[in-house]
Amino acid sequence: MEENKILLKTKDIRVRYNKVEAIKGVSLEVAKGSIVTLIGSNGAGKSTVLKALSGLNPIVSGEIWFLNHRIDSLLPQDIVKLGISHVPEGKRLFSRMTVLENLKMGAYIRKDKEELKKDMDEVFHYFPKLKARINQAAGTLSGGEQQMVAIGRALMAEPKLLLLDEPSLGLSPLLVLEVAKIIREINKKGVSIILVEQNAKMALQLAHFGYVLETGKVALDGIADSLLNNTHVRDAYLGG
Amino acid sequence: MDMTLLLQVTLNGLMLGMIYIVVALGLTLIFSIMNVINFAHGEMYMLGGLVAYYFSEQLQIPYMLILVLAMILVGVFGIVVEKFFFRPFRGELLPALIVSLGLSMTIQTLTLLNFGTEDQSVSTVFPGMINFLGALFSKERLAIVITCIVFILSLYLLIQRSKIGCAIRAIAEDREAAALQGVNIDRICSFTFGLGCALAAAAGVLIAPVFYVNPYIGGLPLLKAFIIIILGGMGSLLGAVVGGLILGTVESFGTLFLSVPASNLLGFIIIILVLLFKPSGLFGHE
């Protein structure tokens, strides 16, 4: 990849999680405008990588570069200002707050009121169901709707890079398809995405590029299509 | 039983309840976002009373101005205390609790050295009584109730309607998720701690003319505030308001029918019952 097309780059990052080294030297690259997926089994370190990128789980060594900024020593609140929005595992909505308040929290760093209104409308364009629920406490929504609020909240920060952690978890097959469609739409609008998924098939079908994580290391990487046809990936992650 | 007496007792209960609520709101607010049980909170109330005594008796500044000054001074003091004593222990319940106990003793002793143990009285700001449906109620107590209501409503609006209030609620629910939205956790915690201390100081200023001021007066309202937030539910602002009204009323009727020490017991009986039957309190989460 040429340097100026790279949005995010990690160099040999190591991360401890609960005192155990969960990430043992991972180097990734995300090209501008692309969808990159991290697949792997439970505990392979996928979520930990995302947490390192958004600053929730600081790295022990290595470097993380986002555009021209080295971000590995920044706090989460400063990283989001640079344009990385993280939809964490388990959605992590403010469940006692309304849907509207959740979306407004997503736009916490922004001051442009006019644009904000437009982006709010865009969120309702992606997720029309939410519009009827704006004054409802987020905790009272269904799992699918909560996922929509979580993605919507992240979009409200106007990210350049969206980190999605298991957006399909706990959703019905129909909803998974819908979420996949929306992820593609968001990407078409120019937002790059890192997608962490257990559902490796969906992830590889959506993504342009993929990394297979095994016990904290990159076991395999490549164009998503080629990974879909890779025998090891097929056996281990696509159910043969 | 005489109706006017009942009314009078209720109004007195209301005043006490309001003061307790204003102290408890700060305490529960600080707990909800920092997971810190601040035993030094009563000292902020005491410092408020102290400021009231100095400014009104020694310098004769108008009382409303004293209220504002005390809130600013104690609020800033709270911000400094948070930065140096609580920030390193944020989210760690036990260490923070011990730090706060030590802080409480330190503030008390320092006050004692400079102020002495004598009770000092602060002269009343609104002399005279009001006849309300036959019950006599001092104008001073009425002013206290109204001021407290203004504080409670303002806090409600701040928490529910403002951006900073939204951030406070977000941190209370999920600190990491709040940080991911770009909330500066340190700044909001510092603001909230200062605000809580300022509220305690306000209560101390308001009640100073009714009672008296000495370095130990912080203990009782702190205890009452704990009873209230256990009754209402830890971290719940609505719970603190309802809990305060209940405790104020119960105590003031207790004084009527029982002795003062016995009525102080009632609060603890309430706590025991709450912990037995609804440990999360009336409006607690989980």
Side-chain angles (χ1 to χ4, degrees):
Chain A
M1 270 187 265
E2 290 173 47
E3 275 305 314
N4 59 4
K5 283 187 182 167
I6 293 172
L7 183 65
L8 179 117
K9 187 173 192 159
T10 74
K11 285 184 193 162
D12 197 30
I13 55 169
R14 289 169 184 274
V15 187
R16 266 188 247 280
Y17 186 71
N18 288 341
K19 290 179 184 161
V20 180
E21 191 161 62
I23 301 296
K24 303 160 186 164
V26 165
S27 300
L28 306 170
E29 278 181 0
V30 177
K32 278 179 192 165
S34 70
I35 303 181
V36 170
T37 185
L38 310 182
I39 57 174
S41 56
N42 248 338
K46 310 185 296 287
S47 296
T48 312
V49 170
L50 292 196
K51 282 184 180 167
L53 299 181
S54 65
L56 282 184
N57 213 336
I59 61 174
V60 182
S61 69
E63 289 174 20
I64 305 175
W65 289 84
F66 182 68
L67 295 168
N68 298 319
H69 305 274
R70 185 164 170 188
I71 61 167
D72 46 75
S73 57
L74 299 184
L75 292 167
Q77 65 251 33
D78 299 319
I79 292 175
V80 66
K81 279 178 201 147
L82 291 175
I84 300 182
S85 275
H86 185 179
V87 182
E89 199 176 3
K91 302 174 279 267
R92 307 282 287 269
L93 292 181
F94 305 115
S95 58
R96 301 199 290 270
M97 290 162 66
T98 65
V99 169
L100 188 65
E101 284 172 334
N102 269 278
L103 294 178
K104 279 189 179 164
M105 278 309 294
Y108 187 83
I109 52 171
R110 292 175 56 188
K111 291 181 177 71
D112 44 340
K113 287 241 163 79
E114 287 299 306
E115 285 290 306
L116 213 130
K117 178 97 194 29
K118 240 185 261 169
D119 287 356
M120 187 83 81
D121 288 339
E122 195 173 301
V123 169
F124 292 132
H125 160 75
Y126 289 129
F127 310 111
K129 275 185 209 158
L130 292 185
K131 199 153 191 181
R133 303 221 184 275
I134 50 170
N135 290 317
Q136 212 171 313
T140 64
L141 304 185
S142 71
E145 288 165 337
Q146 289 194 14
Q147 190 64 60
M148 294 172 190
V149 178
I151 297 175
R153 181 177 70 179
L155 288 176
M156 290 301 291
E158 252 189 336
K160 296 184 184 82
L161 176 64
L162 189 61
L163 313 178
L164 292 175
D165 201 339
E166 305 265 9
S168 78
L169 195 74
L171 301 188
S172 69
L174 209 66
L175 271 176
V176 172
L177 284 180
E178 200 182 320
V179 167
K181 197 182 115 215
I182 288 162
I183 291 173
R184 196 169 276 139
E185 244 182 277
I186 292 168
N187 177 245
K188 286 228 173 83
K189 289 257 168 84
V191 180
S192 306
I193 294 170
I194 301 183
L195 177 63
V196 157
E197 264 297 339
Q198 294 258 33
N199 186 339
K201 192 170 167 203
M202 165 208 170
L204 288 172
Q205 281 168 347
L206 267 176
H208 306 106
F209 202 85
Y211 291 87
V212 180
L213 286 188
E214 279 169 13
T215 58
K217 285 182 187 151
V218 176
L220 201 64
D221 63 58
I223 308 286
D225 285 339
S226 70
L227 288 179
L228 265 176
N229 297 317
N230 180 292
T231 45
H232 173 70
V233 174
R234 285 196 148 193
D235 292 344
Y237 304 107
L238 300 174
Chain B
M1 169 126 262
D2 191 354
M3 272 311 288
T4 53
L5 183 62
L6 273 185
L7 191 60
Q8 198 152 344
V9 172
T10 314
L11 289 177
N12 275 330
L14 189 65
M15 180 203 68
L16 273 181
M18 286 295 166
I19 290 291
Y20 295 160
I21 289 169
V22 172
V23 177
L25 281 174
L27 193 62
T28 204
L29 202 58
I30 290 167
F31 173 78
S32 73
I33 74 161
M34 296 171 65
N35 210 14
V36 162
I37 296 176
N38 181 16
F39 273 97
H41 199 65
E43 297 349 304
M44 304 301 167
Y45 166 98
M46 183 268 287
L47 290 175
L50 214 65
V51 170
Y53 167 72
Y54 273 116
F55 282 7
S56 108
E57 299 305 307
Q58 318 280 1
L59 302 174
Q60 270 128 32
I61 296 175
Y63 218 68
M64 270 300 154
L65 189 61
I66 294 179
L67 182 63
V68 175
L69 280 175
M71 288 180 77
I72 294 174
L73 287 174
V74 178
V76 169
F77 177 64
I79 287 173
V80 173
V81 161
E82 191 273 336
K83 187 171 165 64
F84 292 105
F85 296 98
F86 289 106
R87 192 168 295 179
F89 303 104
R90 195 182 297 155
E92 295 176 64
L93 203 59
L94 200 58
L97 190 140
I98 292 165
V99 167
S100 82
L101 270 174
L103 200 66
S104 164
M105 288 179 216
T106 311
I107 296 173
Q108 230 174 58
T109 312
L110 288 176
T111 313
L112 192 67
L113 289 173
N114 293 296
F115 186 85
T117 50
E118 295 279 304
D119 289 346
Q120 301 291 348
S121 53
V122 176
S123 43
T124 205
V125 192
F126 298 103
M129 305 290 249
I130 286 180
N131 192 325
F132 181 69
L133 299 173
L136 281 180
F137 200 57
S138 74
K139 284 183 185 163
E140 182 175 60
R141 295 186 175 211
L142 197 65
I144 292 174
V145 170
I146 293 170
T147 316
C148 287
I149 292 176
V150 170
F151 277 128
I152 294 166
L153 290 179
S154 315
L155 184 70
Y156 173 82
L157 287 178
L158 177 84
I159 298 292
Q160 288 299 324
R161 297 288 154 81
S162 72
K163 190 174 176 181
I164 197 162
C166 225
I168 290 172
R169 281 182 291 143
I171 296 177
E173 278 209 53
D174 189 331
R175 178 180 313 190
E176 279 193 344
L180 284 181
Q181 313 314 316
V183 176
N184 187 327
I185 308 285
D186 283 349
R187 198 177 297 163
I188 300 287
C189 282
S190 155
F191 170 81
T192 310
F193 200 92
L195 178 66
C197 293
L199 284 172
V205 172
L206 289 173
I207 204 74
V210 178
F211 298 153
Y212 48 84
V213 180
N214 73 36
Y216 300 114
I217 54 169
L220 197 67
L222 179 72
L223 201 63
K224 304 295 182 189
F226 276 131
I227 295 176
I228 288 171
I229 61 181
I230 292 172
L231 172 60
M234 294 290 273
S236 162
L237 297 181
L238 179 65
V241 173
V242 175
L245 290 176
I246 293 177
L247 186 68
T249 315
V250 166
E251 280 195 348
S252 107
F253 276 95
T255 342
L256 181 64
F257 295 113
L258 312 163
S259 60
V260 174
S263 87
N264 272 331
L265 209 65
L266 292 173
F268 295 104
I269 295 175
I270 292 179
I271 284 210
I272 293 170
L273 291 177
V274 168
L275 290 179
L276 276 178
F277 296 107
K278 197 166 187 308
S280 59
L282 296 174
F283 298 92
H285 308 289
E286 289 133 45

